[in-house]
Amino acid sequence: MEDVLTMISRLKRPTLLVRTARHGVQDYNRVVHLRRLLKTEVLPGPGQAIVRLMELEAVSDQLRAAKRSEYSVARHVEMIVAMMCEARILKASNASKASREPVQLPI
C-alpha cells in the first residue's frame, strides 16, 4: 500500500479549490477543525486522519463533479485545508523521527 503522503500528492483537484485551501492553512486548528470534520472527540494521528479525510473529500469531490445540490464548497475547502495541514504535521513528525535515529559510523 502507498504511504499517505504519496496518495495526497497524486490527488488532482481544481486549481481554485487548492488555492483557496492554501489561504486557510494558517488558521487551521487541529483540535477544533479535525474534531468537526471527522465527527470525533478522540483525534487520530496525522496518518490516520489523512486517510479518513481523503475518504470524506472523495465523496465531496464526487458531489462537486456531479453538480449535486448537497455539495458544499466551504466544507470541501475545509477538508483540503485539513489534509494539507495534517500532511505537514506528518512530514514534520517523520523528519523528527529520522533526526533522532542513531547514526551508524563506519569503523
Side-chain angles (χ1 to χ4, degrees):
M1 184 179 150
E2 287 182 304
D3 73 328
V4 291
L5 296 176
T6 303
M7 291 167 49
I8 285 180
S9 70
R10 290 190 178 164
L11 284 178
K12 301 293 181 213
R13 296 298 180 254
T15 305
L16 186 58
L17 274 176
V18 176
R19 282 185 188 165
T20 305
R22 284 189 185 128
H23 290 286
V25 167
Q26 65 192 12
D27 296 326
Y28 181 71
N29 180 324
R30 188 171 200 270
V31 174
V32 173
H33 295 109
L34 202 54
R35 275 187 182 162
R36 185 178 66 243
L37 289 169
L38 299 182
K39 297 178 181 157
T40 183
E41 284 297 315
V42 179
L43 296 178
Q48 211 176 15
I50 291 169
V51 170
R52 290 174 59 190
L53 286 165
M54 286 182 71
E55 291 168 355
L56 293 171
E57 190 276 336
V59 172
S60 277
D61 198 57
Q62 290 169 352
L63 293 173
R64 177 195 61 79
K67 300 180 187 307
R68 300 288 303 262
S69 62
E70 61 267 30
Y71 172 69
S72 167
V73 69
R75 183 163 168 79
H76 198 172
V77 169
E78 282 183 311
M79 287 182 220
I80 295 171
V81 168
M83 286 191 303
M84 288 176 169
C85 293
E86 292 298 316
R88 287 182 180 183
I89 293 167
L90 185 59
K91 284 179 188 176
S93 172
N94 289 346
S96 175
K97 287 178 189 173
S99 69
R100 284 186 269 149
E101 290 179 4
V103 178
Q104 302 244 345
L105 299 174
I107 297 178

